[in-house]
Each structure stands twice: as C-alpha cells, then as structure tokens.
Amino acid sequence: MSILPERVELKTPEQILVMRRSGKLLHRVHDMLAQSIRPGVTTDQLDTLAHDMIRDEGATPNFLGYQGYPATLCISVNDVVVHGIPGDRPLVEGDIVSIDGGLIIDGWHSDAARTHVVGEPRSVADAELVRITEGALWAGIAALASAERVGEIGAAIEDYVAEEAGESLSHLEGFGGHGIGSAMHQAPDVMNYRTRARGPKLRPGMCLAIEPMLIHGPGNWELEDDDWTVRATAGGRAAHAEHSVAVTEHGLLVLTAGDGGAAELALRGITAAPDPLADIDG
C-alpha cells in the first residue's frame, strides 16, 4: 500500500491578508519583548507581558495549551535550544535568550522566533552564533523566492551555515520548520539541512514557517523530563530564528516581519510582494 503525502493547505489572498494581520501583531509583540529584556527580568515575566499584549489586542496565543504546553512563549536560555518553559529564572548579563511565540487572529496562525543577547555578548562566538542564525533564516527565505521544491530551503540554510561557520556550529538534528495557516503546524516539513526528500513543489498560496536552530559546537541534545525542553548536552549555547512566509502570485511576503521582509529581501536582490498592510502602523 502506498502512503500519500499529507495535503498542503493553499491559502487565498484574503486568507493571507488575515495571516499578515496575525504576523504583524506578532512582530509588535516581539519588538515589545526585545525592549523588555534586561538583567533581573525573569522568563515568566516576559511570558506574562506577551500573553497580556496578545489578549489586549483581541488575539489568542497559539502555544498556550498546545499539546498541553503550559505557557504563551517558549523561552530558551543558553544551552536550551528550543521549547524552554518560562519560569522564575532571572536573566543575567550575557545570557542568550531565544523567544518563540505565535498567535491566532480570526482562525489564522502566525509563528516567529528571535534570539537576543542580554546586555553585552559574553564572547565573539556568542555574537557570531546569533548573527549566523539570523542570516541562515534569511538565506532560507531568499532561497524560497526561486526554489522549485521545499527541500531547497534546507539546502540553502545548510550551505550558508557551512560558509559562515565551517564546523563550529551544528544544526539541531530532527527539528525544522513547517507549514502554517489554519493550524500552527501543517504539512510540509521544512528542514534546515539537506535530506533525501525533495519536498513538495512550491505554489502560490503556500505558507511556511522557516526556523533554523543552531548550536555552538557538537549538536548532541536531550529532551528533559518535562517532555518539552531540548537541551544541548555538550554545553554549547544555542540560537533560534523564525519567520512565517507566504508564497504569493507576486512574490514572497514575510508575514511576521514589520515591513513584510522588503528590506532584507532587497539586500539579496529580491523584491518582496506588496504588503497589504503597508499603510497601517505597527
């Protein structure tokens, strides 16, 4: 018996517009959190700030309660790579803090992650880890502009990381991005490195969450007893960057970027799709 691939949800322009509203609000939430990170602030306090802002704007956090997840955000500090649960740990100078979150507006999801350094980086290696992870995200997004199949995104991310970091950084094996739309996690898988699977053909209406996760040094990891926290077992610090992106008839629209991705794509010779919310502040 053959196993058919899971169906990829294609969005209409009207649905992408709502996803852009969701993504633009999430962009504002991340900006607020970036301004709130400082020594002494706990990860639980950051989580509360995000939860309150999302609710005050009439949206719904999509992480909270997802498969039993207990918080609005995943906040991963230092050697925690992803899915760190907020708690009473106060941040200190030099911490690397990855914040991953999402929300729902009118049934449509957004998902994005940023990595921050609290105060000044502890080392050049820490600063480079964050820079390269962000660059890898945009390398993947740029590849999406001309790719024929989803698998080309991971190949572009892998090549960028190898060129920028050699063997000093490792990918979090077994984790990657995903489709997004009427559910937070949908087909197809969007891996951050080459695999045998070429993935489905790219078509207008596809919306993908692209999210490289990099570890300084060996990429060994373990899942902690809470069944969420993914920690690098070799002690390397980690970073995570993510955007939700729509493939449209007119090009790419980075749903969770403030300007729809226009500035970063222009640096790579790519013209972003027109932003339907370009004249709305926030």
Side-chain angles (χ1 to χ4, degrees):
M1 178 186 295
S2 63
I3 300 176
L4 296 177
E6 189 176 353
R7 177 179 173 273
V8 174
E9 178 183 82
L10 298 179
K11 287 76 175 174
T12 67
E14 293 76 18
Q15 291 166 341
I16 289 174
L17 172 60
V18 183
M19 290 185 68
R20 175 61 175 139
R21 287 174 53 212
S22 180
K24 199 160 189 178
L25 174 56
L26 183 57
H27 166 81
R28 290 171 49 211
V29 172
H30 271 291
D31 276 356
M32 177 274 295
L33 292 167
Q35 296 170 5
S36 304
I37 291 175
R38 60 186 179 274
V41 171
T42 68
T43 54
D44 194 43
Q45 287 173 325
L46 295 174
D47 189 72
T48 298
L49 287 172
H51 181 272
D52 290 349
M53 181 174 177
I54 291 169
R55 291 295 191 184
D56 288 348
E57 293 285 344
T60 303
N62 55 7
F63 283 26
L64 183 61
Y66 179 77
Q67 296 183 357
Y69 188 73
T72 292
L73 303 173
C74 293
I75 305 182
S76 305
V77 182
N78 296 333
D79 61 342
V80 175
V81 191
V82 289
H83 302 164
I85 299 173
D88 60 2
R89 179 201 193 281
L91 299 176
V92 300
E93 185 86 8
D95 276 344
I96 295 179
V97 184
S98 299
I99 300 180
D100 187 9
L103 57 89
I104 310 165
I105 290 179
D106 294 340
W108 294 92
H109 291 249
S110 57
D111 189 4
R114 300 185 194 179
T115 295
H116 311 267
V117 177
V118 180
E120 293 299 317
R122 187 185 65 173
S123 65
V124 172
D126 282 357
E128 283 293 281
L129 168 66
V130 176
R131 180 188 71 81
I132 292 170
T133 304
E134 181 74 12
L137 169 61
W138 285 102
I141 294 172
L144 178 59
S146 58
E148 293 185 1
R149 290 184 176 270
V150 168
E152 294 172 52
I153 298 168
I157 292 172
E158 180 179 314
D159 288 347
Y160 174 87
V161 174
E163 181 176 346
E164 292 291 316
E167 297 182 355
S168 66
L169 299 180
S170 300
H171 295 276
L172 180 62
E173 295 287 337
F175 289 77
H178 48 88
I180 187 169
S182 61
M184 180 165 55
H185 292 124
Q186 299 181 323
D189 292 334
V190 186
M191 303 311 292
N192 298 315
Y193 42 83
R194 283 181 176 81
T195 67
R196 290 187 176 183
R198 298 174 63 198
K201 289 185 177 180
L202 290 160
R203 298 169 57 190
M206 293 177 69
C207 294
L208 306 175
I210 300 172
E211 50 178 324
M213 294 157 267
L214 297 175
I215 303 168
H216 194 267
N220 304 332
W221 60 272
E222 65 181 3
L223 183 65
E224 297 198 342
D225 291 342
D226 59 23
D227 289 331
W228 286 104
T229 304
V230 176
R231 188 180 299 274
T233 54
R237 291 180 155 201
H240 178 198
E242 178 183 17
H243 273 306
S244 299
V245 187
V247 179
T248 80
E249 295 282 1
H250 306 289
L252 299 183
L253 178 63
V254 183
L255 299 164
T256 48
D259 64 352
E264 287 287 345
L265 289 173
L267 293 175
R268 294 157 178 82
I270 300 166
T271 301
D275 184 354
L277 300 184
D279 295 329
I280 300 177
D281 291 336

